[in-house]
Structure formats: structure tokens, C-alpha cells
Amino acid sequence: MDEIVKTLFSAPLATVFVIAGLIFLLVAVVGNISGKIEPGPKGRLFSGILGLAFVVVGLAMHFAQNSAQPSTTPNSPPALSKPAEQIAVVPRAPHSLPVNTPANQAPATLNLPANAEIIEAGCSFSAAQIEGEPGSSHVVACPAECDAAYQILNGTDTYTSNSFICLAAIHAGLIGPQGGTVQVIIEKGRPAYRGSIRHKIQSSDYGKYDGSFRLAPPTQ
């Protein structure tokens, strides 16, 4: 008896439904089982309906499970997985960058000396992070949407070295919100800086600061 109970508990649910339905149908047809189950006419009718319902539900579950499994034929070759699409990454020339040009002109190419360093900056990159003496120039490539980032910008034309370079480039009109490339010239500090509004960017007034920078278009 214990083995039968264990088998029922480990059997699929569809099989349990079918077995239960057959038992109820047996009660409905025979009328009694070993003198222990003796339903009346109404009980036999109810047992027959319930047994039929269990059998139908169990068979439906069984066929649903079989249809969900993929069918395979002995002679059919195994399906080959499609190889992952390879993306070719074309490296950019180390010293060739697009120069910002109007939309109706063909883009020019920025030709830099062999030892020039191109700084791929983020929107919060400042001149204070550039290691260079006053008078040194550096090429900075700016990403897009730096006008929407957190802003530190002091001065006009000449900015404090803690100002964001890409934001200053938009303020100076050298690049647009879509990003671009500028030349940064490191300068000495000044006793004061005057703020202004240019190209929808507000820069602030500032007092004495130890370092400065100004911007210029990259040399073509």
C-alpha cells in the first residue's frame, strides 16, 4: 500500500487525474467497492460525472505537455545554432579627427603632429586635469550633451582651469551640443574673471584663480 501511495505522489499530475477519474467511473458503474463504498443513485450519478471530468482534464493535460515538447525525427540532423554576428571595429587613425564644420560643407580632417595627444574627455573634464605648462596646447574631443550636465564654468573667452572644457567650448561657440573637438591653450591664472551668457550657456564671475585656459579651433 505504501508503494502505491508513493507511486501516486511521484506520478505526473495528468496521470493522477486520469486514475482518479477511472476510480470515480468505476464507483459509478459497479455501485460499490468491497462493501465499503456504497453510493446511492444520486451518488453514483455524481461519481460518474466527476470521474468523466477528471479523465477529460487528465487527458487534456497529457496532450498539452506532449505538444509543448519539440518533435524530432531520427533522420533529421540536429539544428545548428546561428553563429553570433561579428561586429567589425574599425580603428580610427591615431592623429586624424573630424573638424567641426557647418552642415553644408564637407568635413575637414584635423592633421596633428605625430606626438600630439588626443584627450577623449568627459563632460566634467577640466583644464586642471591636464598636465601642461602655460602656453602648451592640447586637443580635447568632447562627447555630446555636455550642455545638459552638471556645470562648472567661470569666465568668458578665458576660463578658470577648474571649468569644464566641453561646456566652455559650447559657451565659446566652438562646438555644439552634439560634441566636437577643440584646442585647449593653458594660461597662467588671473586676478578676476567675467561671466556671461553665450549660446544659452551661463558662465559665472570669479575672483583670483591660479590657472586659466582659453580655447581655439583645432588646426586643419
Side-chain angles (χ1 to χ4, degrees):
M1 186 66 181
D2 292 340
E3 294 297 327
I4 296 176
V5 172
K6 290 180 181 180
T7 303
L8 288 176
F9 274 106
S10 61
L13 188 59
T15 303
V16 175
F17 268 96
V18 172
I19 293 174
L22 292 176
I23 293 173
F24 277 106
L25 288 174
L26 182 63
V27 172
V29 173
V30 176
N32 64 79
I33 297 178
S34 301
K36 297 180 180 180
I37 302 176
E38 298 180 357
K42 291 183 179 180
R44 293 175 65 182
L45 178 62
F46 177 76
S47 178
I49 295 173
L50 191 61
L52 183 61
F54 275 1
V55 171
V56 171
V57 171
L59 291 176
M61 294 175 62
H62 176 73
F63 287 118
Q65 290 174 356
N66 288 342
S67 61
Q69 297 177 354
S71 58
T72 57
T73 57
N75 297 327
S76 61
L80 297 178
S81 59
K82 184 179 179 181
E85 183 178 357
Q86 296 182 351
I87 301 175
V89 179
V90 180
R92 185 175 59 186
H95 300 301
S96 179
L97 283 178
V99 177
N100 308 310
T101 56
N104 58 352
Q105 296 182 10
T109 300
L110 172 62
N111 297 315
L112 301 175
N115 60 349
E117 178 185 6
I118 301 169
I119 302 174
E120 298 286 345
C123 292
S124 61
F125 186 77
S126 69
Q129 298 172 265
I130 298 177
E131 296 181 359
E133 297 295 328
S136 63
S137 62
H138 310 267
V139 177
V140 175
C142 295
E145 299 182 358
C146 285
D147 57 331
Y150 171 73
Q151 300 178 356
I152 296 179
L153 186 62
N154 305 309
T156 300
D157 296 329
T158 300
Y159 305 91
T160 59
S161 60
N162 69 327
S163 297
F164 295 167
I165 291 175
C166 297
L167 185 64
I170 300 175
H171 180 265
L174 295 175
I175 66 172
Q178 75 278 4
T181 307
V182 293
Q183 186 178 180
V184 180
I185 299 96
I186 304 298
E187 295 190 347
K188 294 181 179 180
R190 293 192 174 190
Y193 300 81
R194 177 69 59 83
S196 64
I197 300 177
R198 289 183 177 178
H199 303 94
K200 299 181 181 180
I201 303 296
Q202 170 75 63
S203 66
S204 303
D205 297 339
Y206 205 84
K208 183 179 179 180
Y209 203 81
D210 294 336
S212 308
F213 72 93
R214 61 184 175 86
L215 301 172
T219 304
Q220 296 188 23

